[in-house]
Amino acid sequence: MSLPEIWIQLRSDVDLKEYEAEDATAIRTGEIVVYDIAIIEPRTDENWDSPEEWTFLDSCGNYFGIPGQDNVYSHPRQITDEILRFYITDMWMHNLGIRPGDLIHHKGQVQAVLGLECEPYEMDIVGYATGHLVCRPAGGGAPIRVPAEDGLRQVLELA
């Protein structure tokens, strides 16, 4: 199992009349740009530069960010724009395929996934995923925080 990739693309059809005056001014002056975001299956050598051949897991448009973020990333940590990274991390986490109850390997122990670690945000009841999982050792013990990429090392069979 591989981590999905993140594709950040400049939005090509920006109509400044659709934005509040302050945002429209920031876009017009180049202070911020508008991006479309997609979470994609890892690219292969055969389709590396062919977006029309990529498998899209999730996508959303109309994100503001600083210029220069358009690229393909293997992990949200690589995105330098802090606000853009915050939203993309949540989107990326929900597309990892890791679910509560999954058993994973972390630091030589089997851990049971309890859920995604989330931080509260404004009026959102659930919050936004941080890039970590909340797990409990399969043999019992206190919950621990585990990097999401470790969740891909799933236990296939208990001995």
Side-chain angles (χ1 to χ4, degrees):
M1 186 179 210
S2 299
L3 293 170
E5 295 181 312
I6 303 148
W7 184 31
I8 302 176
Q9 178 183 357
L10 279 171
R11 187 171 198 140
S12 59
D13 60 345
V14 175
D15 182 357
L16 295 178
K17 293 179 280 190
E18 295 180 9
Y19 300 97
E20 294 178 14
E22 184 179 327
D23 293 335
T25 300
I27 294 167
R28 188 175 17 267
T29 62
E31 183 181 333
I32 62 172
V33 294
V34 183
Y35 292 112
D36 289 328
I37 310 298
I39 306 299
I40 60 174
E41 287 286 342
R43 295 167 296 159
T44 64
D45 289 341
E46 292 79 32
N47 71 3
W48 192 260
D49 292 320
S50 305
E52 66 279 357
E53 295 179 21
W54 297 346
T55 301
F56 287 74
L57 302 173
D58 199 357
S59 63
C60 193
N62 214 27
Y63 282 95
F64 293 152
I66 60 174
Q69 301 299 294
D70 46 322
N71 204 344
V72 177
Y73 299 89
S74 60
H75 197 286
R77 281 192 301 263
Q78 298 171 316
I79 301 165
T80 57
D81 183 304
E82 184 178 342
I83 295 170
L84 200 56
R85 183 175 58 245
F86 172 79
Y87 290 110
I88 290 171
T89 298
D90 183 71
M91 190 173 166
W92 181 78
M93 287 288 294
H94 288 281
N95 283 281
L96 292 179
I98 302 169
R99 303 289 178 251
D102 286 352
L103 298 177
I104 63 169
H105 290 281
H106 174 69
K107 295 187 177 180
Q109 289 188 329
V110 175
Q111 303 283 335
V113 175
L114 301 176
L116 304 180
E117 178 188 69
C118 293
E119 60 184 59
Y121 183 70
E122 293 182 3
M123 303 285 290
D124 193 322
I125 295 171
V126 176
Y128 279 74
T130 64
H132 290 85
L133 304 168
V134 177
C135 298
R136 181 183 312 277
I144 64 168
R145 184 177 197 238
V146 175
E149 50 271 23
D150 285 5
L152 298 181
R153 297 181 46 216
Q154 295 190 350
V155 175
L156 301 177
E157 184 177 309
L158 291 174

